[in-house]
Amino acid sequence: MVERRPEPPLWEQLAQKSRAMPQGDRLQKVLARHGFGSRRVCEDLISAGRVVVNGDVAVLGRRVDVDVDVIEVDGVPIGVRPGLVYYLVNKPAGVVTTSSDTHGRPIIIDIVPAEPRVFAVGRLDVETEGLILLTNDGELANLVAHPSHGVEKEYLVEVAGGEVSGGKLARLRDGVELDDGLTAPAKVSQPEAGVLRIVIHEGRNRQVRRMCEAVGHPVERLVRTRIGPISDRRLRPGEWRELTIDELRALTDAVAVEVRRYDQER
């Protein structure tokens, strides 16, 4: 006859179940801390199935380890690991966006704190001015900069040759044939003669310069004024600041929209 072991006390059973469950902070608390709204709003996000942890749709009560777990909202990984930083820099002309330069030119990472080590999200050529993001969050950086589903980038462009004709503006909007293919449709306006406002979501090398040159109006000055929902007219050339929680949330939302659009078009 097999001897049955007595069941452990209820408190011990509950303790065993607790140890078997993921440890760490409650998911809604982590989301709220990173700008996704109040805990109630974050609970609604989880209940709606919009939050995924390590590939699994999360449920209320889920706990997460921010050092290990990968959390996605609407298909976009969010940076919850301690130590992640997000800097907005207004790059002056003459500064390169690589981490080093064999010609001894100023580099973008020298503008921000040396630690933690960060990298530029995408690139601006050496003569282009304006806004660029620096971070150590590789997942978000790849999504923001990816040509297929990158967020919008807006540029203010001074061109040679005076006023750009309506026909040439239409070409810029509809797509310009470059040596690496036809550009995607762009938003283009001319606030004053010889000054264009161009919004693109691709990230080809020197794209805006090549587009303008293709229609006969070479660029004389190029300034990036917006990255997705992020802009700052008060940030002077050579200055930097950290993104706010609201800006980081807005950027994540913008990336999520582009990822969904890309997935639907595939």
Side-chain angles (χ1 to χ4, degrees), residues 10-65:
L10 181 58
W11 66 266
E12 189 173 327
Q13 295 180 46
L14 293 175
Q16 290 174 348
K17 289 181 179 180
S18 177
R19 285 193 295 271
M21 294 178 64
Q23 303 299 304
D25 294 332
R26 288 193 180 276
L27 180 56
Q28 60 264 37
K29 181 180 177 181
V30 172
L31 294 175
R33 193 164 64 225
H34 287 80
F36 284 86
S38 66
R39 291 195 190 182
R40 176 58 62 86
V41 169
C42 294
E43 288 172 356
D44 291 341
L45 285 174
I46 297 168
S47 298
R50 295 170 58 187
V51 184
V52 171
V53 179
N54 300 332
D56 297 323
V57 177
V59 296
L60 284 175
R62 174 68 190 257
R63 290 181 177 272
V64 292
D65 183 341

Side-chain angles (χ1 to χ4, degrees), residues 33-35 84-90 112-113 121 131-137 140-141 144 151 226-232 235 239-253 255:
R33 193 164 64 225
H34 287 80
L84 293 180
V85 295
Y86 306 86
Y87 301 139
L88 181 67
V89 178
N90 188 345
V112 299
V121 180
L131 300 181
I132 188 167
L133 295 172
L134 275 69
T135 184
N136 54 356
D137 184 346
L140 184 60
V144 171
V151 298
R226 179 170 63 86
I227 305 168
I230 310 299
S231 62
D232 190 339
L235 196 65
E239 292 185 342
W240 68 276
R241 66 171 175 81
E242 292 193 52
L243 291 187
T244 67
I245 288 293
D246 288 343
E247 286 175 325
L248 185 56
R249 167 69 193 279
L251 184 61
T252 302
D253 286 347
V255 170

